[in-house]
Amino acid sequence: MKKTVTLLLVLCAFSILAQPSQKLLPLIPLPKEVKYLDDIFNLTPKTKIVLVNDIFKPEVDYLNNYLKINYGFDLKIVSDLPKEGNYIIITQPDFEAGFLENYDLTMNQNQLIFIAEGNAGLFYGIETLIQLMPLEKIVDGVLGESQLKIQCEDIKDAPHYQWRGMHLDCSRHFFSKEEVKKYINYLAMYKFNVFHWHLVDDQGWRIEIKKYPLLTSIGSQRKETIVGKPAWDKDGKPSKDDKYDGNPYGGFYTQEDIKEVVTYAQTRHITVVPEIEMPGHSLAALAAYPQYSCTGGPFETYTKWGVSDDVYCAGNDSTFLFLQNILSEVIDLFPGKYIHIGGDECLKGRWKACPKCQKRIADEKLKDENELQSYFITRIEKYVNSKGKQIIGWDEILDGGLAPNATVMSWRGTAGGIAAAKQKHMVVMTPGKPCYFDHYQSKDKKTEPLAIGGFNPLDSVYAYNPTPKSLSEEEAKFILGAQGNVWTEYITNFSSVQYMSMPRMAALSEALWTPLDKKNYKNFIERLKIHSRTLDKMNVNYAKHFINKK
Ligand code: ACM
Ligand code: ZN
């Protein structure tokens, strides 16, 4: 009797395991709806791509290129249904609903069907298909044919949030154009659609501006770099305890490099948002052009971490002309809607002591230096708006009054984002916890590389819900989404960028794409274990705490 029950239980367990719903899919982020189908689509070099509408040619080329590089396949593109053999077909829905990032992907033995209204939707469908492809092709012994055996699924997918961003600080440490493209590949794999490129800061100016060549000849260089953590002395003078490496450091992107990266991102449906910091975080620019500071300098590009006292002078009209000329070139390079103007951590000491800044406060009837900061940002916003673009800035742009059309990036917690949404301004959430990937991901500091501090593990990132509960339904509509930030004071090379951002980037992608009721951390970890083989194949140096449990 006992034996029979045991056997029944085993059979029962087996049949449950064999149920389609129990299948673990190698997909990150998890699609909105997936049904497992009991069929296999054999993708071979003879499979054809049926392209009915040429608008999708760029995405089809992307897929074909991927197949060529990874498996040596070069699929034929045709416009009519083939009489024999299997095929991939790209179609559009019967009516336009305006959901340009949505896609359906369904398959059987003979057909693999994409339905997408927009190019972005098809692109995301292709990224899903790529994740379903085995890492290695097999050669069928009978047919002697190279094959990718793809488990059939029926997928209906759509993103939860419209801003799915990742940031990279290329000022504190410089990452080459090729490394930035690799980073963009990771974003594409996880269906992010914004790359926030932090191009300037106190420690280095990294974008060529033709009108101001000293920004790169002087501002992109620093004579050395602090070793480890600075003493954070209050008077801004070097501390006896601070040690420097004595190695000159520098690098910048030419405008041709920038165009190449922007085009590369565009092909992957990623908008690049450049960040040009002002009025603070500007010492590298002031080292090159000290006349736009309050004191006149001279300055050196910052060699330590932290925030410089010296900032742009808000009382000097020529400062605004300088910044507008810079922004004019920046705007021409970046086709996206947003220009990030920084706005964070502007120390006000210089403004307090500067006769020109004080005269501006008096002339404009401003209450204090916070309102002077608001004057500064609003004046820049007018210029940016006149060029047809929007500004986005860190949540300090709320201090002293928000510029009329500004979007707020909430980083000092979520209070700034909540306040902005209540004022009917668009918001991108990026609170330090859990969106700063320069924080530690394990408490085992003996084995972890030096990080900025704080503890921000994978499960916290995964659990993140960018929409604060305190917002009403109407107010919540102003939350565009969220973003992960990778500040690089202690991230000195690209392998460390990979380590700090992966797999937290994967976890954030699911917090931004997958419907709340479909999220499940345990299931994510199981999928991540499968997916980690892809990261291995890509030679990504990812953190393995989800395997080692340390
Ligand atoms: C920031 O982390 N200073 C925006
Ligand atoms: Zn001043």
Side-chain angles (χ1 to χ4, degrees), residues 134-154:
L135 291 182
E136 305 294 340
K137 66 185 176 193
I138 55 161
V139 179
D140 185 284
V142 184
L143 299 172
E145 191 172 59
S146 295
Q147 291 187 349
L148 299 174
K149 287 191 176 297
I150 298 173
Q151 176 60 54
C152 291
E153 320 286 347
D154 183 21

Side-chain angles (χ1 to χ4, degrees), residues 344-345 394 411 436 487:
D344 58 320
E345 299 179 308
W394 301 108
W411 73 281
Y436 273 39
W487 300 101

Side-chain angles (χ1 to χ4, degrees), residues 7 22 37 91 128 157 165 519 539:
L7 186 65
Q22 299 292 311
L37 304 175
T91 64
T128 296
D157 207 1
K519 280 173 67 185
N539 287 322

Side-chain angles (χ1 to χ4, degrees), residues 28-274:
I28 296 176
L30 190 68
K32 190 173 173 188
E33 286 175 37
V34 192
K35 272 195 222 121
Y36 172 86
L37 304 175
D38 217 354
D39 227 336
I40 298 286
F41 180 88
N42 279 330
L43 204 160
T44 79
K46 289 191 197 136
T47 299
K48 297 201 172 61
I49 301 180
V50 185
L51 181 61
V52 183
N53 188 337
D54 266 354
I55 64 155
F56 292 122
K57 180 80 171 33
E59 287 71 33
V60 164
D61 287 345
Y62 178 87
L63 171 62
N64 229 356
N65 196 39
Y66 180 89
L67 289 168
K68 199 182 291 174
I69 291 170
N70 289 281
Y71 304 101
F73 293 6
D74 188 3
L75 305 192
K76 198 163 169 201
I77 302 171
V78 297
S79 50
D80 295 316
L81 287 187
K83 299 217 167 44
E84 56 185 34
N86 67 6
Y87 56 87
I88 297 170
I89 180 163
I90 318 290
T91 64
Q92 286 184 291
D94 294 337
F95 57 92
E96 288 180 11
F99 297 125
L100 300 181
E101 292 194 308
N102 296 11
Y103 71 91
D104 293 352
L105 171 58
T106 191
M107 312 162 209
N108 59 38
Q109 253 185 36
N110 305 314
Q111 306 164 301
L112 194 151
I113 305 167
F114 285 106
I115 308 175
E117 192 179 332
N119 296 65
L122 176 59
F123 181 78
Y124 297 135
I126 287 170
E127 286 296 335
T128 296
L129 174 62
I130 286 172
Q131 290 191 357
L132 290 172
M133 289 177 192
L135 291 182
E136 305 294 340
K137 66 185 176 193
I138 55 161
V139 179
D140 185 284
V142 184
L143 299 172
E145 191 172 59
S146 295
Q147 291 187 349
L148 299 174
K149 287 191 176 297
I150 298 173
Q151 176 60 54
C152 291
E153 320 286 347
D154 183 21
I155 298 176
K156 294 193 185 344
D157 207 1
H160 195 62
Y161 285 100
Q162 54 174 295
W163 185 297
R164 304 180 302 278
M166 279 300 305
H167 148 289
L168 184 63
D169 170 8
C170 294
S171 169
R172 275 51 176 268
H173 283 98
F174 178 71
F175 302 98
S176 70
K177 174 181 71 179
E178 292 311 322
E179 288 167 337
V180 170
K181 284 190 193 168
K182 275 192 194 168
Y183 192 71
I184 288 172
N185 284 344
Y186 311 152
L187 270 62
M189 176 164 68
Y190 299 131
K191 302 183 173 75
F192 284 90
N193 61 358
V194 176
F195 170 47
H196 173 167
W197 203 358
H198 189 76
L199 284 164
V200 310
D201 215 302
D202 292 313
Q203 292 82 1
W205 183 281
R206 307 275 175 236
I207 171 171
E208 178 190 28
I209 300 295
K210 304 243 191 229
K211 195 171 175 72
Y212 300 112
L214 302 186
L215 284 172
T216 39
S217 64
I218 293 176
S220 78
Q221 305 295 315
R222 60 177 181 254
K223 72 171 190 244
E224 57 188 356
T225 303
I226 193 163
V227 177
K229 300 233 168 179
W232 304 112
D233 47 316
K234 293 226 167 52
D235 57 9
K237 291 192 195 110
S239 155
K240 288 193 297 306
D241 300 329
D242 286 344
K243 290 197 175 48
Y244 291 82
D245 63 8
N247 300 324
Y249 187 90
F252 69 92
Y253 308 101
T254 63
Q255 293 202 352
E256 287 310 306
D257 292 338
I258 301 265
K259 282 182 206 161
E260 197 178 314
V261 168
V262 166
T263 304
Y264 191 85
Q266 260 175 337
T267 306
R268 288 153 183 77
H269 294 276
I270 292 169
T271 303
V272 185
V273 175

Side-chain angles (χ1 to χ4, degrees), residues 299-320:
F299 308 110
E300 281 183 348
T301 307
Y302 229 24
T303 55
K304 64 177 174 180
W305 315 130
V307 187
S308 151
D309 289 320
D310 287 289
V311 302
Y312 290 121
C313 177
N316 188 348
D317 281 334
S318 63
T319 303
F320 291 95

Side-chain angles (χ1 to χ4, degrees), residues 294 313-314 354 357:
C294 290
C313 177
C354 171
C357 286

